């Protein structure tokens, strides 16, 4: 038996979830089809989390349009969704006359794109405001409206708000076949489930080219481009106050150093094309490249402060621009593909644009019950002692600290499960349990205990991120209370 919808969105990253949320502003039956067990399992879980000003994309491109439009509305949407966003500004630093000329080009391009507040600052200004940066820096482009956010928590918030407003997300649905009859797309999963939808939106990230071909639509190519990062421990005093970029190259915006919204320091990424679309491995060569280039900007950078490394995959299209369009040959099939950087910044504007495109096609009426607001889980680490005492009186589990590094309580983990987390990574991204200095060394067993208890599953069935990523392979010992 098939499930029937007005609209189905393939992919549950930040772009897919932004579109899904915007579609709930209309009276439509909508769903998202995601092959993994949670949202933000692709590029949205591993990127820089930067909200770009918009001086980098070539004027007249979709990247330039949606970057600037997205930047303009980003703070408002984060406010509605109770997601952290800090407009800390950014600097692109130049070390010689050639790079100063590039800054001038970026300044003029940014102004043509409609970016406000851009200025080229002198060496004196840069070092007075960022005293830990290299004395060899000659000048910098200052963009006051750049910012930072948490990309996976934003994706989770978009998902939760879309669900609140009536959308559905079908997890574990790996699209393997797309057919079309007169009125509906017939979408089949690898495990033989069927969804029928009048409009199909392709937000499959690095796999968007394969989904487009499966639908018989436009033929384009997505190249997987890997970027490697370091995360540094939370310092008493941040070494930089803003996002620090180097002059961009043909490979991208270059290696940056930035604070994160959670108080860590992020360093990276490099840029390298890889053969596999799932290759999120790290390499010594890649990490060395990141570290050496970052030290050029921040000489005091030390590997002693590193608490973890990771890499993410970006979906680089052969079109050199975002692909956001209804297909010319396959009516009602909309590609939203090749959304590499500045995709996170653009996500809100893309969601709004695509939802309006769909509502016009279906002549959809406004959903007068749409509620744009969503409240985040109460954080033990963010409250005053008095507020903590009040919360503990209401729910004693708020006083049971599971993750000591990040001060995450049992209450927060249970709340994350109630909101849809079913894996260890799902808990980590919603609560930060396991993201501190010990990287889950102490709290992982407790998190698994709670997942097992709340989901009523055996601990050997708990996974890191779904599919076959099991953490325990067999029971070796069990006490009289059933504890492994």
């Amino acid at each position: 038996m098939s499930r029937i919808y007005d609209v189905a969105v393939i992919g549950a990253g930040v772009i897919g979830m932004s579109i899904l949320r915007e579609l709930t502003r209309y009276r439509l039956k909508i769903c998202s089809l995601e092959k993994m067990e949670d949202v933000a399992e692709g590029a949205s879980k591993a990127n820089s989390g930067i909200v770009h000003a918009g001086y980098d994309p070539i004027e007249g491109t979709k990247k330039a349009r949606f970057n600037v439009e997205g930047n303009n509305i980003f703070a408002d949407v984060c406010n509605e969704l109770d997601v952290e966003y800090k407009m800390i500004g950014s600097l692109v630093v130049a070390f010689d006359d050639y790079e100063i000329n590039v800054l001038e080009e970026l300044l003029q391009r940014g102004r043509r794109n409609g970016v406000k507040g851009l200025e080229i600052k002198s060496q004196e200004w840069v070092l007075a405001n960022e005293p830990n940066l290299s004395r060899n820096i000659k000048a910098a482009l200052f963009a006051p409206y750049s910012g930072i956010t948490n990309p996976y928590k934003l994706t989770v918030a978009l998902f939760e708000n879309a669900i609140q407003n009536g959308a559905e997300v079908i997890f574990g649905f790996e699209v393997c076949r797309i057919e079309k009859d007169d009125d509906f797309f017939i979408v089949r999963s690898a495990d033989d489930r069927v969804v029928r939808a009048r409009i199909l939106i392709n937000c499959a990230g690095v796999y968007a080219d394969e989904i487009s071909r499966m639908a018989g639509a436009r033929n384009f190519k997505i190249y997987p481009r890997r970027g490697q990062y370091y995360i540094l421990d939370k310092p008493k005093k941040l070494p930089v106050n803003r996002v620090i970029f180097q002059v961009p190259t043909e490979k991208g915006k270059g290696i940056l150093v930035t604070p994160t919204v959670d108080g860590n320091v992020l360093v990276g990424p490099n840029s390298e094309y890889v053969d596999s679309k799932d290759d999120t491995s790290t390499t010594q060569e890649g990490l060395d490249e990141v570290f050496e280039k970052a030290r050029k900007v921040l000489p005091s950078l030390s590997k002693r402060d590193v608490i973890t490394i990771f890499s993410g995959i970006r979906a680089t299209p052969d079109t050199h621009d975002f692909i956001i369009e209804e297909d010319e040959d396959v009516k009602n099939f909309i590609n939203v593909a090749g959304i590499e950087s500045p995709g996170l910044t653009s996500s809100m504007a893309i969601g709004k644009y695509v939802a309006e495109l769909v509502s016009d096609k279906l002549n959809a009426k406004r959903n007068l019950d749409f509620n744009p607001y969503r409240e985040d889980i109460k954080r033990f680490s963010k409250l005053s002692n008095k507020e903590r005492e009040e919360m503990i009186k209401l729910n004693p589990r708020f006083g049971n600290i599971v993750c000591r590094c990040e001060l995450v309580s049992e209450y927060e983990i249970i709340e994350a499960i109630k909101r849809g987390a079913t894996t260890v990574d799902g808990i980590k991204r919603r609560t930060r349990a396991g993201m501190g200095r010990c990287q889950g060394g102490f709290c992982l067993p407790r998190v698994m205990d709670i997942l097992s208890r709340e989901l009523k599953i055996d601990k050997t069935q708990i996974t890191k991120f779904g599919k076959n990523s099991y953490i325990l392979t067999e029971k070796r010992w069990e006490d009289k209370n059933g504890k492994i």
Side-chain angles (χ1 to χ4, degrees), residues 1-219:
M1 180 178 289
S2 61
R3 300 162 78 168
I4 300 175
Y5 297 89
D6 292 312
V7 188
V9 181
I10 299 174
V14 71
I15 300 297
M17 289 299 97
S18 181
I19 292 171
L20 195 73
R21 177 189 186 241
E22 287 297 323
L23 285 170
T24 62
R25 294 180 187 272
Y26 302 92
R27 293 202 174 279
L28 295 169
K29 186 172 173 56
I30 59 177
C31 75
S32 167
L33 308 175
E34 169 55 47
K35 70 176 183 178
M36 301 298 287
E37 300 300 323
D38 201 353
V39 300
E41 286 286 0
S44 301
K45 72 178 178 185
N47 60 68
S48 305
I50 306 300
V51 180
H52 294 281
Y55 51 77
D56 192 52
I58 302 297
E59 54 267 38
T61 61
K62 290 186 175 73
K63 284 186 178 181
R65 172 190 169 180
F66 289 110
N67 185 158
V68 175
E69 288 182 10
N71 181 289
N72 289 339
I73 62 175
F74 211 92
D76 290 340
V77 177
C78 285
N79 185 51
E80 290 175 345
L81 297 174
D82 200 9
V83 172
E84 281 188 286
Y85 168 59
K86 296 180 181 177
M87 191 184 293
I88 60 174
S90 68
L91 293 172
V92 184
V93 297
F95 287 87
D96 54 34
D97 290 344
Y98 168 78
E99 292 189 343
I100 291 174
N101 287 334
V102 176
L103 298 187
E104 183 63 34
E105 290 174 17
L106 294 174
L107 173 71
Q108 298 305 327
R109 185 187 300 161
R111 288 175 174 168
R112 290 193 294 271
N113 285 345
V115 180
K116 297 176 288 185
L118 293 175
E119 291 181 75
I120 292 181
K121 297 290 191 181
S122 66
Q123 180 191 55
E124 291 72 23
W125 186 96
V126 172
L127 296 179
N129 288 274
E130 295 288 354
N132 294 315
L133 296 190
S134 167
R135 267 36 188 176
N136 295 324
I137 291 171
K138 304 298 183 190
L141 175 65
F142 176 48
Y145 296 105
S146 295
I148 53 175
T149 190
N150 185 318
Y152 37 84
K153 288 183 79 171
L154 174 61
T155 310
V156 167
L158 290 163
F159 157 70
E160 289 182 3
N161 190 237
I163 297 296
Q164 287 171 349
N165 285 296
E168 297 177 39
V169 178
I170 305 173
F171 290 111
F173 194 107
E174 183 173 0
V175 175
C176 68
R177 191 172 171 188
I178 299 172
E179 301 163 315
K180 194 169 189 298
D181 63 15
D182 290 340
D183 298 316
F184 287 90
F185 290 94
I186 304 163
V187 187
R188 300 182 186 277
S189 72
D191 59 357
D192 246 5
R193 286 176 285 172
V194 178
V195 161
R196 297 166 69 91
R198 295 163 67 191
I199 290 183
L200 192 59
I201 302 174
N202 175 18
C203 303
V206 75
Y207 290 95
D209 52 350
E210 297 174 30
I211 293 294
S212 186
R213 284 196 294 276
M214 204 182 289
R218 178 179 174 179
N219 189 17

Side-chain angles (χ1 to χ4, degrees), residues 13-14 40-49 151-152 155 204-206 225 229 277 280 310-315 339-340 344:
V14 71
E41 286 286 0
S44 301
K45 72 178 178 185
N47 60 68
S48 305
Y152 37 84
T155 310
V206 75
R225 197 154 53 93
Y229 292 88
K277 294 184 175 184
T280 54
F310 69 94
S311 75
I313 293 288
R314 286 155 278 181
I339 313 297
E340 57 180 348
L344 176 66

Side-chain angles (χ1 to χ4, degrees), residues 232-240 259 262-265 305 437:
L232 277 56
D233 200 2
K234 294 177 181 176
K236 291 181 180 176
K237 182 172 172 50
L238 287 166
V240 294
D262 298 299
N264 297 92
V265 176
D305 299 322
R437 185 175 297 171

